[in-house]
Amino acid sequence: MENSTINNPIKDDFSKQYHSNNYSSYNHHKFSKKSLIYSCFCLPITSFLALFILVLLAYNSFTIFFYFIPSFSMENAKQNDGKKFQNSPFSSSTPIYAMKEESPRKTHHKFNPSSTYFTHTKGPKTRKSISTFRRSPPSPRLLFSKQVKEFFVENSCKTRVFMTWISSLNSFGNRERFCIESLFKFNPNACLLIVSNSMDTQRGAKILRPFLRMNFKIKAISPDFRFVFKNTSGAQWYNELEKGNVKKGGISLGQNLSNLLRLALLYKYGGIYMDIDFIVLKRLNKLRNSIGAQMVDQKTKKWSRLNNAFLIFDKKHPLLSRFIEEFALTFNGNKWGYNGPYLVSRVVERLNGTMGLLEGPMNITILPPRAFYVVDWVRIGSLFEKPKDELHLQWINDKIKQIEEESYGVHLWNRQSRRIRVEDGSIISHLVKRSCVFCNSSISTL
């Protein structure tokens, strides 16, 4: 018992040291808390404001990045990467050259991470609501039909004239401008619609501006082949062309499309089609359902070839439908004129058309060569030459008199005569002086 009550000095010393250390640690911890709280309360008010602003900015940045980072998925990436590139309908690299124009296919708005419209909240409803604000560009098909309708209706056009221009504006010179002048000289109330991609530009508008300042009714519109060919035999042919199933041949596809386009425009709207290398010499409003003969057999006095450079037809005339059908069924891109002058000649010949009136359901008039084709392309140079002697001068004067009395216009055959200089005293120089409106171009530049 005594041993149990005897104090152990080592144990007592350890116990005192332990309790002393714990008490000291407790007091130090307690002092640290008080010091922190005390230091916080001792901070100036500006420090509190700075701390508050920092916290607010951090929170704001977090919310912006959280809500506005667009969602992206591999599925969308695959869809976008899998799409094939399609040429622009107005691209000059397309096979239809200057006149190429396709109607746009129906556009479906799919999410695209690169789009300026970001879908930053989840759920299909938000994407749908965002897509309702996206507006795709107007369809060229609607633009073409709307523009043509407005042009003819607003101007109360009774004489509708169509031209096509398939080349660049670098080829549009004083001669082409003058031919337009001659149209308005004798047909001031006519409405001229030039169907062309290159003319339907700012540069083209600059060319036409002098005519508009004179209050002439003229407009250039880019073609929409699908719309113009719709409900004709040309529609299926054009679809096959787009698919690459039509052999284009060596002749310019733009030229062949122009042959079809002029027929379809007259079938859809009715009116006059003329090439842009015609000098007009008379009013044209009295002509109806007419086509000109280019050549006549001197023995039989029957036409041997017609031409499609000048056509006048009512809307939806049955002969135009025959022409379009022939084009679609017999297209040949390797023979010059096969889809143009030779085409109209083949179709009319099957109807046993002779010079004069072709009666029956077709009801057309075949005009003699002197109406539009005073000379053929082989002899067109004779109209550009000045008189060489008295005999030649007499021939020129007689020819001018005949043209003024019997011709509605003179075809210049630009393909053959473009580089021929107009000489002063020639037949062409006389017609230019008679038919110009502005009369500010040197004859030698035509």
Side-chain angles (χ1 to χ4, degrees):
M1 291 294 295
E2 292 180 0
N3 293 335
S4 64
T5 60
I6 296 174
N7 292 330
N8 189 340
I10 298 176
K11 183 177 181 180
D12 290 341
D13 289 342
F14 177 79
S15 177
K16 289 178 180 180
Q17 186 178 1
Y18 173 78
H19 287 295
S20 176
N21 291 338
N22 283 343
Y23 180 75
S24 176
S25 177
Y26 171 77
N27 287 337
H28 177 74
H29 182 66
K30 185 176 181 180
F31 176 78
S32 298
K33 285 185 176 181
K34 289 182 179 181
S35 298
L36 179 62
I37 295 172
Y38 177 76
S39 62
C40 289
F41 278 102
C42 290
L43 288 172
I45 296 175
T46 54
S47 299
F48 274 111
L49 291 175
L51 182 62
F52 176 75
I53 292 173
L54 287 173
V55 173
L56 184 61
L57 289 173
Y59 174 78
N60 188 41
S61 300
F62 173 77
T63 55
I64 289 174
F65 280 97
F66 178 77
Y67 284 105
F68 287 87
I69 293 177
S71 59
F72 179 80
S73 67
M74 290 303 297
E75 181 181 356
N76 286 328
K78 290 178 180 179
Q79 288 177 356
N80 292 329
D81 291 339
K83 290 181 181 179
K84 294 182 178 179
F85 174 78
Q86 294 179 348
N87 284 333
S88 167
F90 304 103
S91 171
S92 60
S93 63
T94 52
I96 304 182
Y97 306 105
M99 298 190 62
K100 170 65 177 174
E101 174 169 293
E102 298 175 2
S103 301
R105 292 166 175 79
K106 189 175 181 180
T107 304
H108 299 279
H109 297 293
K110 294 183 179 180
F111 176 70
N112 184 353
S114 63
S115 173
T116 55
Y117 297 96
F118 292 130
T119 306
H120 53 268
T121 56
K122 58 184 178 180
K125 291 184 179 179
T126 303
R127 293 189 180 186
K128 183 177 180 181
S129 63
I130 290 293
S131 66
T132 58
F133 292 96
R134 300 178 182 177
R135 294 184 180 272
S136 57
S139 165
R141 180 179 303 179
L142 295 176
L143 285 176
F144 180 86
S145 60
K146 184 178 180 181
Q147 286 186 89
V148 173
K149 183 177 180 180
E150 289 178 351
F151 177 65
F152 286 146
V153 173
E154 291 177 1
N155 292 295
S156 302
C157 301
K158 294 182 178 179
T159 303
R160 301 176 176 180
V161 182
F162 295 92
M163 292 181 179
T164 62
W165 181 255
I166 63 175
S167 303
S168 71
L169 293 184
N170 294 331
S171 303
F172 198 98
N174 290 333
R175 181 178 296 189
E176 287 73 24
R177 290 186 185 91
F178 166 70
C179 289
I180 295 176
E181 286 184 46
S182 69
L183 170 67
F184 288 120
K185 174 75 172 186
F186 298 99
N187 301 268
N189 296 321
C191 296
L192 174 58
L193 183 63
I194 303 176
V195 183
S196 167
N197 280 329
S198 58
M199 287 295 293
D200 188 12
T201 58
Q202 291 184 354
R203 186 180 171 191
K206 186 177 180 180
I207 294 174
L208 302 182
R209 195 170 297 143
F211 296 98
L212 294 173
R213 288 174 181 166
M214 295 285 291
N215 295 321
F216 293 126
K217 302 163 189 175
I218 184 171
K219 188 177 182 64
I221 304 179
S222 298
D224 179 2
F225 294 104
R226 284 192 174 186
F227 173 76
V228 178
F229 298 157
K230 186 178 180 181
N231 297 326
T232 71
S233 303
Q236 182 61 33
W237 177 87
Y238 186 72
N239 288 337
E240 293 301 314
L241 177 68
E242 286 188 309
K243 295 176 183 178
N245 297 331
V246 175
K247 294 181 179 179
K248 302 168 189 175
I251 305 300
S252 164
L253 182 58
Q255 179 62 53
N256 282 321
L257 274 172
S258 175
N259 287 326
L260 179 59
L261 182 61
R262 68 189 67 182
L263 300 174
L265 286 170
L266 292 181
Y267 185 78
K268 185 173 289 290
Y269 297 105
I272 301 169
Y273 170 82
M274 57 181 289
D275 281 353
I276 206 165
D277 57 348
F278 262 98
I279 299 179
V280 179
L281 301 172
K282 285 184 174 62
R283 295 183 64 85
L284 304 173
N285 58 339
K286 294 183 179 181
L287 293 175
R288 185 181 176 189
N289 298 324
S290 303
I291 186 170
Q294 175 184 331
M295 298 175 64
V296 174
D297 189 313
Q298 295 300 323
K299 294 181 179 180
T300 63
K301 302 300 180 182
K302 181 182 180 299
W303 62 267
S304 56
R305 185 181 304 167
L306 305 179
N307 201 295
N308 65 336
F310 206 113
L311 302 169
I312 305 171
F313 281 97
D314 292 342
K315 179 180 179 180
K316 293 188 176 181
H317 193 282
L319 185 57
L320 290 172
S321 181
R322 294 280 190 95
F323 288 155
I324 296 172
E325 182 180 12
E326 179 74 10
F327 184 100
L329 294 176
T330 67
F331 176 80
N332 187 324
N334 289 315
K335 293 183 179 180
W336 178 262
Y338 186 85
N339 309 299
Y342 294 107
L343 182 148
V344 294
S345 300
R346 291 195 305 271
V347 174
V348 175
E349 187 175 17
R350 294 190 198 119
L351 300 172
N352 296 320
T354 56
M355 197 75 70
L357 182 65
L358 179 60
E359 299 179 348
M362 296 304 170
N363 191 26
I364 66 167
T365 300
I366 300 176
L367 298 171
R370 61 179 179 272
F372 302 115
Y373 310 101
V374 178
V375 295
D376 60 21
W377 60 271
V378 177
R379 297 183 298 159
I380 186 61
S382 62
L383 302 185
F384 289 76
E385 297 175 353
K386 64 181 179 182
K388 299 176 181 178
D389 50 40
E390 289 295 327
L391 185 63
H392 189 201
L393 176 62
Q394 184 62 44
W395 179 85
I396 288 177
N397 291 334
D398 292 343
K399 196 68 174 178
I400 290 174
K401 182 178 180 181
Q402 179 188 21
I403 290 172
E404 290 180 344
E405 291 178 354
E406 302 178 354
S407 301
Y408 288 96
V410 176
H411 192 204
L412 298 179
W413 304 99
N414 258 5
R415 182 179 174 84
Q416 287 75 28
S417 69
R418 175 172 294 278
R419 297 184 180 181
I420 301 179
R421 180 176 173 270
V422 180
E423 298 178 355
D424 193 24
S426 65
I427 295 175
I428 296 298
S429 68
H430 174 84
L431 297 179
V432 168
K433 294 174 183 177
R434 180 176 181 267
S435 305
C436 64
V437 173
F438 305 115
C439 304
N440 55 3
S441 298
S442 173
I443 293 177
S444 62
T445 63
L446 297 178

